[in-house]
Amino acid sequence: FSAERKARNRPENVYMVLPETDPEIETKFMDKAKTRKGPDGSTLFAEWDYGKTLFYGKSNHERLQILGCLGTIILIEGGPGTSIQARLVEEAGHVVIPVRCTGGAAGNRSIGSSPFTSLLERLMGEEVDEQWGRTREALRVAQDAWKLLDAGEVTDAAKVAEAVVQVANTLVKHAGLLTGALPVLGQPRDNTKRPAHMKVLQTQEQVLEYMRSFTGVVLFNGYSAADQYDNLQDVDRIVDLLVQVLDERFGKNWLVLYKGDPYKAGVADVACPVRRLHFMHGKAVLAVQCELYGRQVLAPANGEQYAHLAHGALYQYETKYHFDRQANKRLIQSGGDDSK
């Protein structure tokens, strides 16, 4: 990086952070970094042979602590120390961009999680104005770039570099959106397009009472708008077979339970099989969603988004937030699980 910057007559802008010394400087680090003798004869780390060297701390452990306070890092290969640094960065709420194809610490799939997924899922399920539409497209492109890096299958340097730049630029441009809670989006709404004869359940006791009116309750989960199914025809065939089996087990009066994703034409997410269960097989649907998103069910942007909840029900629970270490940000707490 340093040599390429110089070759293009650009400022080097390369900084190396080293500790002043380390208890294992003459053993573990003997062949890994240049050293020098201090005025008192002690062994100290020397400046790196390129860029500007900054010294911090009396050990490599202290050095890693300060590096962990930095913002976004691009992870290329790396060893155990790099893994520690990356985890510290994530714990501080920042993003690690892992270039998986380089292996080492970057190949560790427990490190690095897309910061775009949650907001993109929300935007994919909304009818938005032109400005939000551009934002959605930018996040989609960045998510595709992230997936390329995360898969680790592409090794072409130019393509990998392009993906890293795409992710980093999007993080900078949309930093305000990608930190904190998701905003309220979409067009002004009213409740005239609310699903017909949909019950709104207010308490868990009401949910249990509603469920008991059916011969069985079956949870359907699946892809969100940010991922999507490859082949909906295969999904439809599986759904039809499941209905046959479940009808034999419970009779025809069983309830579909799902997480409340809106239907949107052209988006192959979990709302599609749930919609098929309602319209093709006559099943009632119960959507469970937090209040922030549940209010969209009560006043959808169009009549198609939640039409599959007609003669079904909605249960809204209190919206709570927690810090998700995998996503590196404050997110809506899903299903009451705050263990991440």
Side-chain angles (χ1 to χ4, degrees), residues 281-303:
H281 299 285
K283 305 304 178 185
V285 179
L286 167 61
V288 177
Q289 189 56 273
C290 66
E291 290 175 334
L292 177 63
Y293 294 155
R295 63 192 182 195
Q296 299 176 36
V297 183
L298 298 175
N302 62 69

Side-chain angles (χ1 to χ4, degrees), residues 169-180:
N169 283 345
T170 305
L171 284 172
V172 172
K173 185 174 181 179
H174 298 288
L177 287 175
L178 295 167
T179 55

Side-chain angles (χ1 to χ4, degrees), residues 137-186:
E137 178 61 16
L139 293 176
R140 186 196 63 76
V141 172
Q143 180 79 333
D144 287 345
W146 184 282
K147 288 180 179 179
L148 182 146
L149 296 172
D150 191 52
E153 297 173 355
V154 175
T155 57
D156 179 86
K159 292 181 179 179
V160 171
E162 182 181 358
V164 170
V165 170
Q166 182 66 58
V167 169
N169 283 345
T170 305
L171 284 172
V172 172
K173 185 174 181 179
H174 298 288
L177 287 175
L178 295 167
T179 55
L182 299 181
V184 177
L185 310 170

Side-chain angles (χ1 to χ4, degrees), residues 169-204:
N169 283 345
T170 305
L171 284 172
V172 172
K173 185 174 181 179
H174 298 288
L177 287 175
L178 295 167
T179 55
L182 299 181
V184 177
L185 310 170
Q187 308 287 353
R189 299 174 176 182
D190 57 42
N191 62 3
T192 59
K193 297 171 183 176
R194 177 174 169 173
H197 307 290
M198 180 187 70
K199 294 183 178 181
V200 179
L201 309 177
Q202 305 289 345
T203 65
Q204 293 185 11

Side-chain angles (χ1 to χ4, degrees), residues 61-195:
H61 175 75
E62 291 183 359
R63 164 185 168 269
L64 289 175
Q65 294 298 316
I66 190 64
L67 289 175
C69 296
L70 301 178
T72 298
I73 65 170
I74 300 169
L75 195 59
I76 301 174
E77 199 179 23
T82 304
S83 295
I84 294 172
Q85 179 191 344
R87 294 189 189 284
L88 289 171
V89 168
E90 290 186 325
E91 288 176 5
H94 303 303
V95 177
V96 175
I97 304 174
V99 184
R100 303 278 190 218
C101 66
T102 60
N108 184 345
R109 294 195 171 275
S110 68
I111 298 174
S113 178
S114 173
F116 309 117
T117 302
S118 295
L119 182 54
L120 186 58
E121 286 181 358
R122 174 72 185 281
L123 287 167
M124 291 295 287
E126 289 276 351
E127 286 194 359
V128 296
D129 59 24
E130 184 178 350
Q131 181 179 355
W132 277 112
R134 289 194 296 268
T135 300
R136 178 170 60 193
E137 178 61 16
L139 293 176
R140 186 196 63 76
V141 172
Q143 180 79 333
D144 287 345
W146 184 282
K147 288 180 179 179
L148 182 146
L149 296 172
D150 191 52
E153 297 173 355
V154 175
T155 57
D156 179 86
K159 292 181 179 179
V160 171
E162 182 181 358
V164 170
V165 170
Q166 182 66 58
V167 169
N169 283 345
T170 305
L171 284 172
V172 172
K173 185 174 181 179
H174 298 288
L177 287 175
L178 295 167
T179 55
L182 299 181
V184 177
L185 310 170
Q187 308 287 353
R189 299 174 176 182
D190 57 42
N191 62 3
T192 59
K193 297 171 183 176
R194 177 174 169 173

Side-chain angles (χ1 to χ4, degrees), residues 216-233:
V217 179
V218 182
L219 171 64
F220 282 80
N221 205 346
Y223 283 123
S224 62
D227 296 309
Q228 304 188 33
Y229 299 104
D230 289 330
N231 190 326
L232 267 182
Q233 290 183 340

Side-chain angles (χ1 to χ4, degrees), residues 7-27:
R8 298 182 180 219
N9 294 318
R10 295 181 180 178
E12 191 175 7
N13 289 346
V14 174
Y15 297 88
M16 305 296 296
V17 180
L18 295 176
E20 294 178 10
T21 186
D22 188 89
E24 298 180 284
I25 191 171
E26 295 182 352
T27 54

